[in-house]
Amino acid sequence: NAGVTQTPKFQVLKTGQSMTLQCAQDMNHEYMSWYRQDPGMGLRLIHYSVGAGITDQGEVPNGYNVSRSTTEDFPLRLLSAAPSQTSVYFCASSYGEGADTQYFGPGTRLTVL
Amino acid sequence: SQQGEEDPQALSIQEGENATMNCSYKTSINNLQWYRQNSGRGLVHLILIRSNEREKHSGRLRVTLDTSKKSSSLLITASRAADTASYFCATDNDYKLSFGAGTTVTVRA
């Protein structure tokens, strides 16, 4: 099993550009989530999904959109990138609910100029 | 919002020594988890302790949970250079995990 995969690994955007961060898992997990990690702040939940077709907002959802059309994929869209979105983004999945053991992807390091 | 807070923020020890870090949280929980993050990598789950458990072991790891004090500790015994990483506690909050800012552990050879 590949586990949780994320692409790209690195990305540089200009302010105002849009892009999609990809996340896929092959463990048939129902729960998937996106976090951002900033220095000294730990991980903050952006959006999450409890199954295909169901998504909800986390702690810091503004500026991001998600959709979940399949169990495997959970892309994160930046609508109009801002320097404040410079961060490392992690996708995670779990078999059950969000409080279960999370399996994390390797992360995408995003810089917005 | 951050539910858990780790202490200390950073820790430097000699190889072979034990490392202890603490996590305090604010509201009642169902479980508490510890994760490790090596530099530039994703988080890896280490151990989960439920609210009705007081202590749990996994290899060289020992986790305690004191729900009356709303605190947990992670002990790594006989540390190795490969234990150099950041360690995060995560508590369940409304069926989602809330992570602390982490403790950075450096193990010196």
Side-chain angles (χ1 to χ4, degrees):
Chain A
N1 286 354
V4 180
T5 57
Q6 291 183 238
T7 55
K9 284 187 168 43
F10 301 94
Q11 184 70 48
V12 178
L13 293 178
K14 294 181 180 177
T15 296
Q17 287 185 316
S18 62
M19 79 158 296
T20 299
L21 279 62
Q22 301 292 344
C23 173
Q25 52 90 10
D26 61 358
M27 297 174 282
N28 203 31
H29 284 170
E30 290 296 326
Y31 185 92
M32 296 185 73
S33 56
W34 278 100
Y35 293 87
R36 59 177 289 172
Q37 184 178 33
D38 301 295
M41 297 191 72
L43 277 76
R44 291 182 292 168
L45 183 64
I46 303 171
H47 284 285
Y48 64 97
S49 169
V50 298
I54 307 169
T55 64
D56 206 346
Q57 297 180 350
E59 182 186 351
V60 287
N62 292 342
Y64 308 95
N65 268 1
V66 292
S67 60
R68 183 99 178 268
S69 56
T70 67
T71 299
E72 295 77 21
D73 301 297
F74 190 43
L76 178 72
R77 297 183 191 83
L78 278 70
L79 309 172
S80 176
S84 60
Q85 294 178 304
T86 293
S87 187
V88 182
Y89 291 84
F90 290 100
C91 179
S93 72
S94 67
Y95 179 71
E97 60 182 46
D100 288 344
T101 298
Q102 298 293 305
Y103 295 83
F104 282 83
T108 294
R109 187 172 295 271
L110 175 68
T111 302
V112 182
L113 303 175
Chain B
S1 58
Q2 275 176 234
Q3 155 87 303
E5 290 187 11
E6 293 90 345
D7 173 66
Q9 288 185 335
L11 184 59
S12 180
I13 56 173
Q14 202 77 26
E15 205 165 22
E17 292 181 339
N18 295 343
T20 300
M21 60 210 84
N22 304 295
C23 171
S24 59
Y25 57 91
K26 296 170 187 162
T27 61
S28 62
I29 59 171
N30 294 314
N31 68 60
L32 184 144
Q33 302 178 40
W34 286 92
Y35 288 80
R36 183 188 72 230
Q37 183 180 37
N38 292 95
S39 181
R41 302 283 185 91
L43 278 72
V44 174
H45 178 259
L46 295 176
I47 200 164
L48 180 153
I49 187 165
R50 301 198 184 280
S51 59
N52 61 353
E53 296 174 312
R54 291 296 167 259
E55 187 170 314
K56 206 162 181 180
H57 296 255
S58 177
R60 293 183 296 111
L61 305 179
R62 173 179 169 252
V63 169
T64 63
L65 179 64
D66 187 335
T67 53
S68 67
K69 295 181 180 177
K70 292 188 171 59
S71 68
S72 172
S73 68
L74 170 66
L75 168 68
I76 305 172
T77 60
S79 63
R80 306 167 181 167
D83 295 327
T84 293
S86 293
Y87 293 82
F88 296 86
C89 69
T91 52
D92 66 303
N93 181 19
D94 191 22
Y95 302 105
K96 297 182 285 294
L97 284 185
S98 178
F99 288 83
T103 292
T104 299
V105 175
T106 303
V107 181
R108 306 187 307 273

